[in-house]
């Protein structure tokens, strides 16, 4: 059980950004959140419901071996007690089941010749189980996880990714067992077979929230999971889950990494990752810890500020948002169109050359020309001044970040595909240019950042941006002065947002 400098679990390559292996160091940081007396109690039961490498169970075993030494002095008896009565796991696949058993029991089979445990008799799986499940198909989708039947309805010899914890009656795996701690790193998402642009926007089906919800149903004393931070802002299939989490006062700790690579080296997960501690028997404020490089921010607060409908990720942003809110200005979101402002899908490119009475079309990476008859909605905007901005923008994880793509001046007689959102319309060319000056400020894009956790930027990310008077242009200096921002607050904004050239 001894961990060496060349620990193989530090060397595992991640399967993808959807299934990421946890390092021993990270597993221990998560275990440090628990009351440490749990590891001195011979009755504490632990479950990893999404075991990939077995690292959580191994690191728990190491703590129990030390914590129970006085109560169970004999080493083999202590190992058998821990392996047989305290540690339980459900593997994601047959492969990860074998990998996890090698990590925990030091053998492919729990009852094998080289297994450290001698308590399993004829039981080859031990307490680290894998049971192949089948998706439950309803109208071409799995009713349990949303998997696309065309992709995942597979013969038994091919992995179908019907994860047991969210597909199987758990009593079939562990009979009526009550766990004190559930801990894990679940799969993050699953492709739904959507088109390329939908996948780029995060169109795959999220899965991690289903593991959290299933774990809560088992009512453990403590729940710890590491998942993408996208749930802070909701999104596809996550709005109800986000609301549930943000109103749950049993979430007592969140450790957030806006840059996922600082938690999982070499892995980019849009929006970062976080792990949390859910404490069934203790409600209260949450300790929010944000880690960006050598900068650590710590605050004990409610997950939902008074009057807010979303989680403010950065502790330093709270004072800025509060100052802006005291002005009670209208939200900029009133100037932001919904998807497909003119009813045109992304694949519409238009003709390459102007033709009589055609409309200039801003399309995906091109400018073309279409007939007015091809535009199916909001035709009244064609002859207005407006601003176009791409709905999706991602430029890596590093801060300071641009947050939004550069805005484009939309002259009269122009339209766009759903690649863009429309901002406006505006009364004049000057007002349009002044609107663009506002979008280019760091202040504007910082207020967007408070609701934008991924590359997708629908209308809702503009909710916190205050509406301004566009009879004149705007600069950051004017906005900092207007809202009375301190030097410390300005420095934080500028550490997060880079100038837009």
């Amino acid at each position: 059980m001894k961990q060496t400098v060349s620990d193989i679990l530090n060397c595992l390559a991640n399967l993808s950004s959807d299934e990421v292996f946890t390092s021993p160091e990270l597993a221990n940081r998560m275990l440090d959140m628990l009351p440490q007396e749990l590891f001195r109690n011979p009755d504490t039961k632990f479950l990893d419901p999404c075991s990939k490498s077995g690292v959580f169970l191994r690191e728990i075993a190491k703590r129990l071996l030390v914590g129970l030494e006085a109560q169970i002095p004999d080493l083999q008896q202590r190992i058998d007690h821990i392996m047989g009565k305290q540690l339980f796991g459900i593997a994601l696949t047959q492969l990860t089941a074998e990998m996890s058993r090698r990590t925990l029991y030091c053998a492919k089979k729990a009852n094998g010749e080289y297994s450290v445990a001698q308590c399993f008799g004829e039981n080859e799986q031990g307490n680290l189980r894998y049971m192949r499940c089948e998706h439950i198909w309803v109208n071409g989708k799995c009713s349990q996880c949303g998997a696309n039947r065309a992709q995942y309805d597979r013969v038994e010899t091919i992995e179908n990714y019907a994860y047991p914890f969210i597909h199987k009656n758990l009593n079939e795996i562990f009979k009526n067992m009550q766990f004190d701690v559930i801990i894990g790193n679940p799969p993050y998402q699953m492709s739904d077979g959507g088109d390329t642009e939908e996948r780029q926007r995060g169109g795959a089906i999220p899965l991690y929230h289903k593991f959290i919800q299933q774990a809560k149903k088992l009512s453990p004393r403590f729940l710890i999971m590491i998942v993408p931070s996208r749930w802070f802002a909701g999104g596809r299939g996550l709005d109800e889950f986000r609301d549930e989490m943000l109103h749950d006062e049993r979430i007592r700790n969140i450790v957030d990494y806006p840059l996922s690579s600082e938690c999982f080296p070499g892995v980019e997960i849009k929006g970062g990752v976080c792990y949390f501690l859910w404490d069934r028997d203790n409600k209260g404020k949450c300790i929010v810890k944000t880690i960006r490089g050598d900068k650590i921010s710590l605050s004990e607060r409610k997950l939902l500020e008074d009057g807010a409908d979303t989680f403010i990720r950065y502790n330093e942003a709270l004072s800025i948002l509060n100052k802006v809110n005291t002005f009670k200005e209208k939200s900029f979101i009133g100037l932001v169109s919904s998807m497909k402002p003119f009813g045109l899908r992304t694949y519409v490119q238009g003709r390459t050359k102007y033709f009589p009475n055609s409309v200039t079309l801003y399309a995906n990476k091109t400018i073309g020309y279409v007939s007015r008859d091809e535009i199916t909605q909001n035709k009244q905007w064609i002859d207005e001044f407006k601003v176009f901005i791409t709905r999706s923008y991602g430029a890596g994880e590093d801060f300071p970040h641009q947050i939004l793509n550069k805005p484009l001046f939309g002259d009269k007689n122009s339209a766009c595909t759903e690649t863009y959102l429309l901002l406006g319309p505006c009364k004049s060319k000057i007002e349009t240019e002044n609107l663009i000056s506002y979008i280019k400020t760091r202040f504007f894009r910082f207020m967007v950042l408070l609701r934008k956790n991924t590359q997708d930027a629908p209308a809702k990310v503009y909710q916190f941006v205050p509406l301004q008077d566009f009879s004149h242009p705007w600069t950051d200096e004017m906005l900092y002065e207007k809202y009375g921002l301190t030097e410390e607050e300005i420095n934080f904004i500028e550490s997060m947002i880079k100038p837009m050239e």
Side-chain angles (χ1 to χ4, degrees):
M1 304 300 295
K2 183 178 180 181
Q3 180 177 333
T4 64
V5 173
S6 57
D7 191 337
I8 187 63
L9 299 188
N10 278 318
C11 305
L12 285 174
N14 289 303
L15 300 178
S16 68
S17 60
D18 299 338
E19 293 188 7
V20 183
F21 285 114
T22 311
S23 69
E25 179 186 3
L26 177 57
N28 277 295
R29 292 203 298 269
M30 294 168 67
L31 290 170
D32 287 342
M33 299 174 77
L34 291 167
Q36 296 304 295
E37 58 265 24
L38 291 170
F39 303 104
R40 297 189 289 272
N41 185 341
D43 297 322
T44 307
K45 290 181 172 59
F46 300 83
L47 171 68
D48 179 354
C50 37
S51 185
K52 292 189 284 290
S53 67
V55 65
F56 287 110
L57 297 177
R58 188 192 71 174
E59 297 307 308
I60 293 168
K62 289 161 64 175
R63 295 184 182 219
L64 290 169
L65 280 170
V66 175
L68 298 180
E69 185 174 8
Q71 298 174 66
I72 311 176
D74 183 84
L75 178 60
Q76 189 59 54
Q77 288 182 13
R78 193 158 71 249
I79 290 174
D80 290 343
H81 176 87
I82 292 168
M83 301 298 181
K85 297 183 178 181
Q86 294 190 265
L87 300 183
F88 302 84
I90 302 172
L92 294 177
T93 65
Q94 183 65 46
L95 175 63
T96 60
E98 294 182 3
M99 185 185 306
S100 296
R101 286 188 209 110
R102 287 184 183 276
T103 298
L104 184 61
Y105 305 133
C106 302
K108 179 180 178 180
K109 298 178 180 179
N111 63 351
E113 178 182 359
Y114 299 107
S115 173
V116 296
Q118 298 178 6
C119 57
F120 291 119
E122 299 300 315
N123 180 1
E124 292 185 352
Q125 292 199 50
N127 286 335
L128 228 164
R129 312 287 179 80
Y130 173 72
M131 299 177 68
R132 182 181 171 90
C133 302
E134 298 301 327
H135 295 285
I136 302 172
W137 303 117
V138 178
N139 298 325
K141 299 283 187 180
C142 175
S143 63
Q144 304 299 301
C145 70
N148 186 307
R149 185 169 189 172
Q151 284 186 289
Y152 296 102
D153 191 5
R154 301 171 175 176
V155 298
E156 289 192 9
T157 54
I158 302 177
E159 179 57 54
N160 65 353
Y161 300 100
Y163 300 117
F165 188 64
I166 58 176
H167 285 80
K168 201 80 171 176
N169 182 341
L170 293 182
N171 282 337
E172 296 180 43
I173 305 176
F174 298 117
K175 303 292 183 182
N176 298 311
M177 188 169 291
Q178 179 65 45
F179 297 99
D180 297 284
V181 178
I182 297 180
I183 184 170
N185 180 4
Y188 296 157
Q189 63 186 27
M190 174 183 288
S191 171
D192 67 350
D195 61 38
T196 301
E197 179 156 337
E198 282 300 310
R199 289 196 297 273
Q200 289 175 344
R201 286 180 179 170
I205 303 165
L207 286 178
Y208 58 90
H209 65 300
K210 295 181 181 293
F211 282 81
I212 294 172
Q213 290 170 327
Q214 181 70 286
K216 285 185 178 182
K217 290 178 183 177
L218 299 182
S219 192
R221 288 175 59 197
F222 301 99
L223 168 63
I224 303 178
M225 284 195 176
I226 182 164
V227 295
S229 297
R230 290 191 289 267
W231 69 266
F232 292 165
R236 184 182 183 186
L238 292 172
D239 287 339
E240 185 177 334
F241 171 73
R242 178 201 65 167
D243 188 65
E244 170 194 323
M245 292 284 279
L246 295 182
H247 285 91
D248 192 340
E249 294 181 338
R250 295 167 294 182
I251 298 177
R252 303 306 306 278
N253 292 79
I254 292 178
V255 179
D256 180 30
Y257 291 84
L259 306 183
S260 61
S261 58
E262 294 186 345
C263 189
F264 297 116
V267 177
E268 183 178 3
I269 299 169
K270 297 295 184 182
V273 295
C274 69
Y275 54 88
F276 65 89
L277 171 69
W278 179 88
D279 184 340
R280 181 192 65 195
D281 301 327
N282 291 287
K283 295 182 179 181
K285 292 182 179 180
C286 181
I287 298 174
V288 179
K289 183 178 183 179
T290 305
I291 301 175
R292 292 190 302 125
D294 57 358
K295 297 179 181 177
I296 297 177
S297 172
L298 194 68
S299 177
E300 185 173 12
R301 57 188 175 96
K302 294 185 291 185
L303 294 181
L304 278 178
E305 294 296 310
D306 293 336
D309 64 349
T310 193
F311 175 63
I312 306 303
R313 183 174 197 175
Y314 301 100
N315 297 319
E316 300 93 335
L318 290 174
S319 63
I320 299 171
L321 181 61
N322 289 335
K323 287 181 177 180
V324 171
N325 286 342
T326 60
F327 281 69
K328 300 186 183 303
E329 295 167 309
K330 291 182 179 180
S331 170
F332 187 86
I333 196 172
L335 294 186
V336 185
S337 72
S338 60
M339 292 175 57
K340 292 188 288 187
F342 295 93
L344 302 176
R345 294 297 307 272
T346 299
Y347 52 75
V348 176
Q349 298 292 309
R351 302 183 197 178
T352 57
K353 294 184 178 181
Y354 175 83
F355 58 93
N357 299 316
S358 62
V359 174
T360 302
L361 179 71
Y362 288 81
N364 187 19
K365 299 180 181 179
T366 66
I367 296 179
Y369 301 92
V370 295
S371 166
R372 285 180 179 246
D373 293 338
E374 294 179 60
I375 295 172
T376 60
Q377 61 191 44
N378 296 317
K379 289 188 176 183
Q380 72 276 13
W381 288 344
I382 295 174
D383 294 317
E384 300 275 4
F385 290 106
K386 57 262 179 188
V387 175
F388 297 128
I389 194 163
T390 55
R391 178 182 158 170
S392 179
Y393 180 75
E397 287 195 310
D398 293 340
F399 287 103
H401 196 293
Q402 189 168 294
I403 307 302
L404 295 171
N405 210 341
K406 296 177 183 178
L408 301 176
F409 182 94
D411 211 335
K412 291 184 176 182
N413 196 46
S414 65
C416 65
T417 68
E418 67 174 332
T419 296
Y420 297 90
L421 295 178
L422 180 149
L423 309 183
C426 301
K427 297 177 182 179
S428 66
K429 180 177 180 180
I430 291 176
E431 186 177 285
T432 309
E433 291 172 342
N434 292 339
L435 170 58
I436 289 175
S437 73
Y438 184 41
I439 295 168
K440 287 185 174 183
T441 64
R442 284 168 153 171
F443 172 85
F444 180 99
R445 290 175 285 125
F446 176 79
M447 300 305 290
V448 169
L449 171 65
L450 300 188
R451 292 202 67 142
K452 182 179 184 288
N453 287 334
T454 68
Q455 63 185 9
D456 194 26
K460 68 179 182 180
V461 306
Y462 296 87
Q463 180 66 50
F464 291 149
V465 180
L467 189 62
Q468 306 294 343
D469 171 11
F470 297 117
S471 64
H472 61 81
W474 287 94
T475 66
D476 274 312
E477 290 70 26
M478 295 167 66
L479 292 161
Y480 295 158
E481 182 178 357
K482 174 180 176 177
Y483 293 107
L485 302 190
T486 66
E487 184 176 349
E488 184 179 8
E489 290 166 336
I490 293 170
N491 289 339
F492 179 68
I493 290 175
E494 297 189 348
S495 74
M496 301 293 288
I497 311 297
K498 68 181 180 181
M500 183 178 282
E501 297 177 359

